[in-house]
Structure formats: structure tokens, C-alpha cells
Amino acid sequence: MDMDADKLANAQRVLGARSETEAVDMALDYVLYQAEVFEALDRLAVEGGLIDAFASSSRSSRSRRRVAEP
């Protein structure tokens, strides 16, 4: 693979990886995890989302803003 050596070194440092290979593997794990999270949020949106627990209490629970809506 051809990649930016500085970017790889920075990622290795941030991730605490012992090698470049470990840094790339950890970064790929992170990307795949994020994909799972976004897929779950998409499924949640299809099911109707969540009530925003931090929305203003002056609004009724029916009119509260929903999060993760399509």
C-alpha cells in the first residue's frame, strides 16, 4: 500500500499501536464499527427514532423532537 507516512505515524501514535500494521488494523476496525453504528441508527430511524430526552420540558411529550428520524 502507498500511504502518507506522516498520517500513518500520527494514527499509530493516537491509537497507541505498536506497529504500522497494528495501526492500520485498528483503524479498519474503527471504520467497520462506525459503519455498524450508522446502520443501527438507520434501522432505529425506520422504527420511528427516539424521543429527545433533552428537549425542552415545556413541550408535550408528543411534540418533542425525535432523533434518528429518516
Side-chain angles (χ1 to χ4, degrees):
M1 285 189 275
D2 184 27
M3 63 185 71
D4 183 315
D6 290 333
K7 190 182 293 184
L8 179 57
N10 286 333
Q12 186 176 348
R13 179 185 50 76
V14 167
L15 294 167
R18 294 172 296 227
S19 68
E20 291 177 346
T21 300
E22 185 179 27
V24 170
D25 190 54
M26 291 172 76
L28 291 172
D29 284 344
Y30 178 74
V31 168
L32 295 173
Y33 170 76
Q34 288 298 313
E36 289 178 15
V37 169
F38 286 120
E39 288 170 7
L41 289 172
D42 288 343
R43 288 192 306 273
L44 181 60
V46 168
E47 295 296 322
L50 296 172
I51 297 295
D52 185 349
F54 300 102
S56 172
S57 60
S58 63
R59 294 193 227 159
S60 72
S61 61
R62 284 184 165 186
S63 65
R64 281 189 173 171
R65 185 174 66 86
R66 298 181 73 78
V67 294
E69 289 184 344

